Amino acid sequence: MTSPRTTSPSYRVWALPGLPEVRPGDDIAKLIAATEPGLVDGDVLLVTSKIVSKAERRLVEAGDREEAIDAETVRVVARRGALRIVENRQGLVMAAAGVDASNTPAGTVLLLPEDPDASAVRIRDGLRDTLGVEVGVVITDTFGRPWRTGLTDVAIGAAGVRVLDDLRGGVDAHGNPLSATVVATADELAAAGDLVKGKAAGLPVAVVRGLPHVVAEPTEAAVGARALVRTAADDMFRLGTSEAVREAVTQRRTVRAFTDEPVDPGAVRRAVAAAVTAPAPHHTTPWRFVLLESEESRTRLLDAMRDAWIADLRRDGKSEDSIAKRVRRGDVLRNAPYLAVPCMVMDGSHHYGDERRDTAEREMFVVATGAGVQNFLVALAGERLGSAWVSSTMFCRDVVREALDLPANWDPMGAVAIGHAAEPPRERAARDAGAFIEVR
């Protein structure tokens, strides 16, 4: 897209009268042309998706609306009671997958067009062939929006329209550089059309005139409304609250290969803040996290641990070849750009003078520390960081305390390798939760 955003002194928008009830198999372009709409080059038509769906035979039988929503849903984004915000087959994130049960015969629902961009192309081409005009076409549907009450129309399909106006690299009226401004032109057009269209009035098509700069030249590469949908990598609000928690828990994986991309220390500290919300006995705080942010500290620790491990393996009678292989398998910590060593302290613990109760007391603190480590790992996943918890520091606690200059009462409880995953995680074998449950 090369056209700068042009400010017009005025434009007109009106609903197109005279359209008949749309039937399955109808040609929308021919129906519009038959109303003698007086279109000129540079006009933009805003077409309600419902009539496109009807023409494209998207009226389907369904036992109930929920069944149809299930069939059209790719991913549940958020759920509250009966309301579901989902990603549908068209890649749109919206309520109820866009399934419409209003103004349809009993036992049927209306689905969105299979490919709204392709629908817009067909209407545009049909109007060019029938009326000889170069117009833009936007297929619209009604959306709710995060943080805003009320509904408005947005573009779900487009042809011949500059759907986005990228102002980055320009300057504002005061000469300040624009570094993040990308305007959703197609959505602005859709909202303007919604002011004059109306379901009850039977006015499903509107025309905007006076904004020729938003209509793409025939030679421009086709860009549809799909360009308005954020990619997963750019979507900071991809999930609802409870869904985000479940996603972080279920999608967390042990990552053993990391890229060279540096780790944001702030992200690790936010994960620590999540870790220390874990439950603990006697209102204590048994967690300590040693963050190894310098290469020197990581190397000092890992070299000391390696030497201790080799000494243990030699005492066990392992061959030098076997020792070398085992040490190489432990390189997940050495290859990570960031390490954290969670430690347990038992400040505030009770001493009973009874082995059974003292053992149980320590176990309570161990469980609480484990809960903190799990919180930490899940929070790292929420920060889009990979991690691997490795238990090796528990086998040489004195060595770790000396290498990191830790107090004698800090018990290292493994180490966590942290970084950006070098490859997608492997699929985890499905586990039936019922196999781990006993009900009494």
Side-chain angles (χ1 to χ4, degrees):
M1 293 175 206
T2 58
S3 76
R5 190 168 180 81
T6 303
T7 301
S8 297
S10 65
Y11 66 91
R12 290 178 57 209
V13 55
W14 69 93
L16 193 64
L19 277 172
E21 180 70 22
V22 175
R23 308 291 181 188
D26 279 348
D27 186 320
I28 298 292
K30 288 182 178 178
L31 293 181
I32 291 173
T35 67
E36 299 184 356
L39 298 177
V40 300
D41 290 350
D43 285 348
V44 179
L45 274 83
L46 310 166
V47 182
T48 301
S49 64
K50 191 162 189 172
I51 66 168
V52 178
S53 294
K54 286 181 176 180
E56 295 181 357
R57 297 183 172 87
R58 296 285 283 165
L59 187 72
V60 299
E61 293 185 3
D64 59 44
R65 186 172 180 238
E66 296 304 309
E67 176 185 317
I69 294 171
D70 289 341
E72 291 298 298
T73 295
V74 172
R75 177 176 62 89
V76 175
V77 175
R79 184 193 303 266
R80 182 173 295 176
L83 175 63
R84 278 184 284 172
I85 307 298
V86 306
E87 179 183 345
N88 66 13
R89 295 180 182 277
Q90 292 80 5
L92 302 168
V93 175
M94 60 192 307
V99 175
D100 192 346
S102 62
N103 296 315
T104 63
T108 65
V109 295
L110 196 62
L111 311 181
L112 290 178
E114 190 79 38
D115 184 343
D117 283 331
S119 301
V121 169
R122 284 192 291 272
I123 295 172
R124 187 192 191 213
D125 290 348
L127 290 170
R128 182 194 297 120
D129 295 342
T130 305
L131 300 177
V133 291
E134 290 291 346
V135 297
V137 174
V138 176
I139 309 294
T140 70
D141 199 68
T142 303
F143 268 54
R145 298 148 301 153
W147 313 294
R148 306 288 287 183
T149 298
L151 304 173
T152 187
D153 267 18
V154 302
I156 66 168
V161 173
R162 297 186 175 105
V163 296
L164 292 167
D165 197 355
D166 191 345
L167 304 182
R168 292 172 297 183
V171 295
D172 64 16
H174 298 281
N176 300 310
L178 299 173
S179 59
T181 304
V182 181
V183 179
T185 304
D187 282 348
E188 292 181 325
L189 292 165
D194 194 35
L195 292 172
V196 296
K197 291 188 297 177
K199 292 181 181 179
L203 298 171
V205 177
V207 181
V208 172
R209 179 171 294 168
L211 300 174
H213 63 281
V214 306
V215 177
E217 297 294 334
T219 56
E220 287 187 46
V223 178
R226 180 74 189 193
L228 293 161
V229 179
R230 287 191 189 275
T231 63
D234 293 333
D235 188 354
M236 294 178 66
F237 308 99
R238 187 164 171 78
L239 296 167
T241 303
S242 61
E243 289 77 16
V245 172
R246 285 196 297 273
E247 178 85 359
V249 172
T250 59
Q251 295 303 311
R252 188 207 63 77
R253 297 286 193 279
T254 295
V255 174
R256 299 188 179 279
F258 301 95
T259 69
D260 294 332
E261 183 179 353
V263 171
D264 174 14
V268 179
R269 283 162 172 75
R270 290 191 291 273
V272 171
V276 300
T277 65
H282 314 314
H283 305 289
T284 58
T285 55
W287 320 277
R288 302 293 184 270
F289 286 83
V290 185
L291 306 182
L292 307 188
E293 296 184 340
S294 71
E295 184 176 355
E296 185 275 331
S297 66
R298 295 192 296 273
T299 300
R300 183 174 67 251
L301 170 66
L302 296 176
D303 284 352
M305 288 173 57
R306 180 193 58 202
D307 293 344
W309 190 15
I310 290 173
D312 282 347
L313 292 171
R314 284 173 177 160
R315 280 194 295 272
D316 292 341
K318 302 297 182 184
S319 69
E320 292 302 314
D321 184 56
S322 173
I323 291 172
K325 289 180 179 178
R326 290 168 183 262
V327 170
R328 281 197 299 273
R329 286 201 298 269
D331 274 348
V332 61
L333 295 177
R334 196 170 292 274
N335 294 334
Y338 196 110
L339 294 181
V341 179
C343 298
M344 178 183 73
V345 298
M346 293 189 62
D347 296 346
S349 63
H350 296 172
H351 179 63
Y352 300 96
D354 175 278
E355 182 179 355
R356 175 179 58 83
R357 288 193 292 171
D358 284 342
T359 298
E361 182 78 2
R362 178 175 174 80
E363 287 175 345
M364 285 198 305
F365 277 75
V366 171
V367 169
T369 303
V373 172
Q374 172 70 356
N375 276 12
F376 183 62
L377 298 176
V378 170
L380 290 173
E383 296 281 352
R384 306 264 180 107
L385 288 170
S387 64
W389 178 79
V390 180
S391 61
S392 52
T393 67
M394 300 170 69
F395 291 85
C396 55
R397 285 179 170 140
D398 288 340
V399 171
V400 175
R401 281 191 284 261
E402 181 178 355
L404 298 180
D405 192 23
L406 302 180
N409 66 331
W410 286 31
D411 277 350
M413 303 295 283
V416 180
I418 303 169
H420 297 273
E423 55 192 26
R426 295 178 182 176
E427 285 297 319
R428 178 188 286 132
R431 293 175 181 168
D432 176 13
F436 303 90
I437 297 173
E438 293 290 337
V439 179
R440 298 290 187 265

